[in-house]
Amino acid sequence: MFTILIADDEERIRRLVSDFLRRDGYTVLQAADGGQAMELIDERLPSIDLIILDVMMPVYDGWSVLRHIRSKSREVPVMMLTARAEDTDEVFGFDLGADDYITKPFSPIVLSARVRALEKRCRQQDEGEAYVSGPLSINEMRREVTVNGSTVELTPKEYELLIYFKNNQNIAASRESILNAVWGYDYFGDLRTVDTHVKKLRAKLGSCGTMIQTVRGFGYRFEAAK
């Protein structure tokens, strides 16, 4: 059973989201503040498949909870649910390791669809099922990338960069966020490292290299094949 933790200090929001998720067949855990969320995460993280976090919560805010989650697991997907709609907040969330970001007010139907998309991604990784977009195929279990059926030989960093792009599909990612996510916060190289690796990755992906689009003056965005 796919288990989801929803952490939000507004009971109305927790009830609304929980009702929709249970209707879709999910098991739902609830936390009314950041402290309760951390306790549930410490107690039950191996059995929690997805976490939905509000940013503005008492005791510990969503950013603190997200850092706590990522100190324990890089795999469990985290969706931020918040009234803070500024681009800087969204980018900050992705930099900390969030997988999705939904602003209030929101459509429960859209949220449910985004949850199903994250669930599908989790099951693909668990079952070794390949991600396929046009001629590009990525099998994370086998750590194998192919284009038109031919294996693409990538360096470890090129592979991590491609996985980062795939996991943040359709999201404009800054060079800073890419550098922090792929190379780590303790890396002292400059932003040209990202550009150099993107150039090499595009070349190795051949016709699929155009999926990595330049966002002028900002960074890059991965667009799936139509």
Side-chain angles (χ1 to χ4, degrees):
M1 184 66 70
F2 200 82
T3 301
I4 300 173
L5 168 61
I6 167 72
D8 196 301
D9 61 327
E10 295 185 61
E11 183 180 358
R12 178 181 60 85
I13 296 294
R14 294 200 309 274
R15 186 168 59 248
L16 174 66
V17 174
S18 296
D19 286 347
F20 268 83
L21 295 178
R22 289 192 177 107
R23 192 178 305 169
D24 287 341
Y26 299 113
T27 297
V28 180
L29 306 175
Q30 296 187 35
D33 58 53
Q36 290 183 15
M38 285 193 184
E39 290 176 5
L40 282 169
I41 289 162
D42 288 341
E43 293 171 2
R44 306 184 60 170
L45 184 57
S47 63
I48 297 174
D49 300 294
L50 170 65
I51 301 171
I52 301 175
L53 285 180
D54 183 28
V55 172
M56 303 301 293
M57 290 188 294
V59 186
Y60 297 105
D61 64 17
W63 303 135
S64 299
V65 178
L66 178 56
R67 289 189 182 95
H68 185 68
I69 294 166
R70 288 297 173 240
S71 72
K72 294 178 170 294
S73 171
R74 301 297 303 178
E75 287 76 31
V76 61
V78 178
M79 177 187 294
M80 306 306 294
L81 181 63
T82 175
R84 301 178 60 146
E86 293 83 2
D87 289 345
T88 52
D89 289 319
E90 189 169 345
V91 170
F92 184 64
F94 287 125
D95 286 349
L96 288 181
D99 296 271
D100 205 350
Y101 197 102
I102 295 181
T103 56
K104 301 175 182 178
F106 61 92
S107 163
I109 296 174
V110 171
L111 183 143
S112 296
R114 303 274 278 270
V115 166
R116 288 194 298 272
L118 287 173
E119 179 194 8
K120 180 180 179 181
R121 194 180 88 190
C122 291
R123 296 198 186 284
Q124 286 177 338
Q125 293 173 354
D126 291 342
E127 297 169 6
E129 183 179 341
Y131 165 87
V132 178
S133 180
L136 174 66
S137 175
I138 305 171
N139 189 313
E140 293 186 60
M141 186 70 70
R142 295 170 58 88
R143 203 176 172 87
E144 182 179 73
V145 178
T146 63
V147 173
N148 288 318
S150 298
T151 300
V152 178
E153 298 294 340
L154 300 177
T155 66
K157 280 301 177 203
E158 289 167 351
Y159 177 80
E160 290 176 33
L161 182 60
L162 178 60
I163 296 303
Y164 174 83
F165 281 135
K166 188 267 292 182
N167 289 345
N168 294 277
Q169 186 172 298
N170 302 321
I171 297 170
S174 67
R175 288 176 173 83
E176 290 87 351
S177 63
I178 297 170
L179 193 69
N180 290 333
V182 178
W183 279 266
Y185 285 93
D186 57 350
Y187 179 75
F188 293 104
D190 59 34
L191 298 180
R192 287 176 296 181
T193 298
V194 175
D195 296 330
T196 299
H197 279 75
V198 167
K199 182 178 180 180
K200 292 179 179 178
L201 179 58
R202 281 171 169 164
K204 290 186 177 183
L205 293 178
S207 61
C208 294
T210 56
M211 293 181 182
I212 306 172
Q213 300 183 357
T214 300
V215 180
R216 189 176 298 277
F218 184 72
Y220 299 93
R221 183 180 60 248
F222 183 82
E223 295 282 355
K226 302 298 183 182

